[in-house]
Each structure stands twice: as structure tokens, then as C-alpha cells.
Amino acid sequence: MNIDGMKCSRCRKPAQHRLPSHNARFCDHCLGIFVRRQAEKAIKQFDMLGPGQKVLVAVSGGKDSLALWQILLELGYQAEGLHLALELGDGSFGEASLAASQDMAQRLGAPLHLMNMAELAGFGVQEIAWANKRSFCSVCGTLKRYQLNKVCLDLGFEVLATGHHLDDEAARLLGNLVRRHQQYLESQWPVLQGAPGAFAKKIKPLCRLRGAEIKSFAKSQGISVAKGACPRSKGATLPHYMDAVRLLEERMPGTTTNFYMGYLEDKGGPPPQPDPAQRCSVCGMPSYADVCTVCRFLANTAERESTKRDALQSPD
Ligand SMILES: [Zn+2]
Ligand SMILES: [Zn+2]
């Protein structure tokens, strides 16, 4: 739909999209050019990928990761998808996420790797959370980071791309500053360097784009996305910081870019390369302790399950 008879800032044809933070209006075609250019700029600025490089995209089924997959292919990278299915206790959201990821793979004619978190871990996230007295979200996050990294390396990819955009990164930065999480602030950078056999390089090529810009792009491209939010995310704090970022941007267009890019500029460079010297004695993945967090989680869960079984089998 054309807005108020406005013309595209680039080609002067009727415009469908308003981008207040860039003081621009675009038609569908020129929005696509803008979005690809911003992704390309981020890839060059932060040295994310070499020309035509192979990259695995973590595809959730939401608009950001699906758009990212398409953009990376359009920019000439060999982008394959990885969908890590989670059991969230609500079949419909998980199923919709998987279906949207499969639709996109078909549309792009690109390979999609399917993995199931419970199968990889041997236990459901809820069981692991109970056994370790942790929240569902924190266990899910830890397992997801571990599995994405491990699966990426197992599949022979050096680089893992995620669909985090400018609003995500700005909200995370705001949250880390408010809570003074120094350790997380240190790793706040659109690229985390990899180490062979230990860490995949992690990249966020959409870090220069606003969530609303990606939403418009996905819509204009007819990308069908999984609707709704994770049913488990109710207690999460990030959405509050996201609301704060949106409010500031609405009142003062350009604030998000100035805040996030300004922080990166002051910081000057990426965090140091991770030291993969120490390995988990169970799984062989990098770890600060003799046994990594995930293997400790799984051992506690196995112990709890066997105690439960013994209790059930005891005569009284
Ligand atoms: Zn145009
Ligand atoms: Zn381990």
C-alpha cells in the first residue's frame, strides 16, 4: 500500500515503506536494495565473511533469521540453514517454526539441517531445568548456544550466522549496562572469532538494520514466518529493554544506531579470541572447568532420573 502519495527516496516511484531513522521512504524494490547494502556493509565493516564463503544460518522460523538466510544467498554466500527444534510444551509454536523454516528452504532451494534439542541432549529441557534447579529459559539458552556451536563444527562450517538485528543488540547492550554485567559487555560485538575444532565464528550480519526494517523486507518479499512468540519467554527481561529502545527511537529517530554503533566505536575492537586450550573431560568441547556446564547439567539430570526410577521400583 502506498503511504500518503509519498515517493521512493531512491527511484521516485510510489513508496510503501517509511524508514524514519534514515529519513527515507522506499518502494519494495529499493527497500530490498537498502537491506542488502546494510547487510553487506556490516559484513565488510566487521570482517564477517570472505567473498562467497560457506556459512550456516541458525534458522528459527521467525522473520529475522529467514530474511537473513535469503539476504546471504542474494549476496552470493553459500548459506545453509540449521533449525534446532525445541520442545516448548506448546506444540503449535514449535511446529509453525519448523514449517516456516522448511518452506523457506524449499523457496530458496538451499539445504536445511534439522536437529532436535532433546535428541541431542538425551533429555527434555524441562527435565534438565528441574534437575539443575534452573529456569527453563536459562537452560534452553545454554543448551542452544552449546548445540549450535557443536553442530556447526560437526557439519564442517566455520561460521555461524544469527538473525540478531540492531534493536536486539541495542536492547541487550542497554540491559547489560543497567545491570553492569561486565562479562557480557566484553563479548558484545557483532562478531566473535572462532577457533578450529572449538568455536565456530559467530556473526550478526543484520546488526545495522532495525527490526521494523527487516519486518517490512520480509513482508515485501512474501516470506511466510512463524507467528507468535516462544510460550516460555514470559519471565524474560530482554523484551522490557526492547520496549525502552523502541520508545526512545520513536521519540528520537536515530537514537538506536547512535547508542549501539557509538558504543562499538568507543570500544574500538572485538573481544580477544577465546582460549580453547582447556577441554571438557566428558564431551571434549572447550570448557573453563574439568567438566563443562552442559555435561554437568546432563549428569545431574541422569542422576535425578535414576533416583526417581529407584524410588518407583522400591517395594514400599
Ligand atoms: Zn524505489
Ligand atoms: Zn562437556
Side-chain angles (χ1 to χ4, degrees):
M1 197 184 62
N2 183 216
I3 33 171
D4 315 331
M6 277 191 291
K7 291 200 167 72
C8 174
S9 311
R10 207 177 149 267
C11 73
R12 312 309 296 165
K13 284 182 187 153
Q16 281 86 24
H17 312 281
R18 200 198 295 264
L19 279 67
S21 41
H22 293 271
N23 196 21
R25 289 157 199 94
F26 290 127
C27 67
D28 283 349
H29 176 74
C30 294
L31 177 71
I33 293 175
F34 168 81
V35 163
R36 279 187 291 276
R37 279 201 185 144
Q38 288 296 326
E40 209 174 3
K41 213 166 158 181
I43 290 169
K44 288 211 176 96
Q45 182 182 359
F46 298 105
D47 193 18
M48 293 182 180
L49 291 166
Q53 197 177 346
K54 238 176 96 171
V55 51
L56 189 65
V57 184
V59 179
S60 69
K63 64 178 170 55
D64 307 324
S65 56
L66 294 178
L68 172 64
W69 194 4
Q70 176 172 326
I71 292 164
L72 288 174
L73 284 168
E74 285 172 346
L75 291 174
Y77 299 101
Q78 296 177 55
E80 297 185 11
L82 167 63
H83 180 76
L84 191 56
L86 312 168
E87 28 140 335
L88 301 162
D90 172 353
S92 59
F93 180 69
E95 279 163 29
S97 304
L98 172 63
S101 306
Q102 286 174 317
D103 281 356
M104 194 60 175
Q106 204 159 38
R107 177 185 146 126
L108 297 173
L112 174 69
H113 305 273
L114 293 175
M115 301 279 166
N116 181 294
M117 186 104 104
E119 270 170 36
L120 289 170
F123 299 103
V125 176
Q126 188 61 74
E127 290 168 287
I128 301 171
W130 277 328
N132 290 276
K133 299 185 175 62
R134 297 288 184 102
S135 76
F136 188 96
C137 284
S138 95
V139 167
C140 184
T142 302
L143 285 175
K144 206 156 68 177
R145 276 190 297 278
Y146 174 92
Q147 295 294 6
L148 286 175
N149 182 60
K150 190 167 185 303
V151 169
C152 185
L153 296 173
D154 289 348
L155 290 171
F157 287 82
E158 286 174 9
V159 189
L160 178 73
T162 55
H164 296 101
H165 50 63
L166 179 58
D167 299 2
D168 291 326
E169 293 306 287
R172 200 160 74 91
L173 174 58
L174 183 63
N176 287 336
L177 287 170
V178 168
R179 289 173 294 190
R180 283 167 294 165
H181 280 168
Q182 199 51 42
Q183 190 199 336
Y184 297 144
L185 282 168
E186 271 161 28
S187 66
Q188 186 124 24
W189 195 260
V191 176
L192 294 178
Q193 293 305 325
F199 295 108
K201 181 177 178 178
K202 317 279 184 343
I203 64 168
K204 297 172 180 173
L206 303 182
C207 69
R208 299 181 56 90
L209 284 154
R210 310 242 9 255
E213 292 161 1
I214 298 162
K215 194 175 175 182
S216 297
F217 172 77
K219 210 174 155 194
S220 72
Q221 296 287 315
I223 297 175
S224 61
V225 305
K227 297 255 160 45
C230 172
R232 294 290 189 152
S233 65
K234 283 181 199 93
T237 54
L238 192 67
H240 302 311
Y241 293 107
M242 194 74 109
D243 286 345
V245 165
R246 268 195 216 108
L247 178 79
L248 291 171
E249 181 67 33
E250 199 184 292
R251 304 274 161 91
M252 300 175 286
T255 302
T256 319
T257 305
N258 291 341
F259 172 56
Y260 179 62
M261 290 300 165
Y263 179 82
L264 295 186
E265 215 168 284
D266 288 348
K267 201 170 162 177
Q273 284 227 343
D275 177 12
Q278 203 175 344
R279 298 296 181 128
C280 167
S281 59
V282 180
C283 70
M285 292 303 283
S287 170
Y288 289 108
D290 177 46
V291 177
C292 78
T293 311
V294 168
C295 288
R296 202 158 32 81
F297 277 178
L298 298 181
N300 289 341
T301 314
E303 199 183 306
R304 184 178 184 268
E305 293 297 307
S306 80
T307 315
K308 242 168 57 182
R309 257 196 315 275
D310 291 350
L312 284 171
Q313 281 164 1
S314 70
D316 50 2

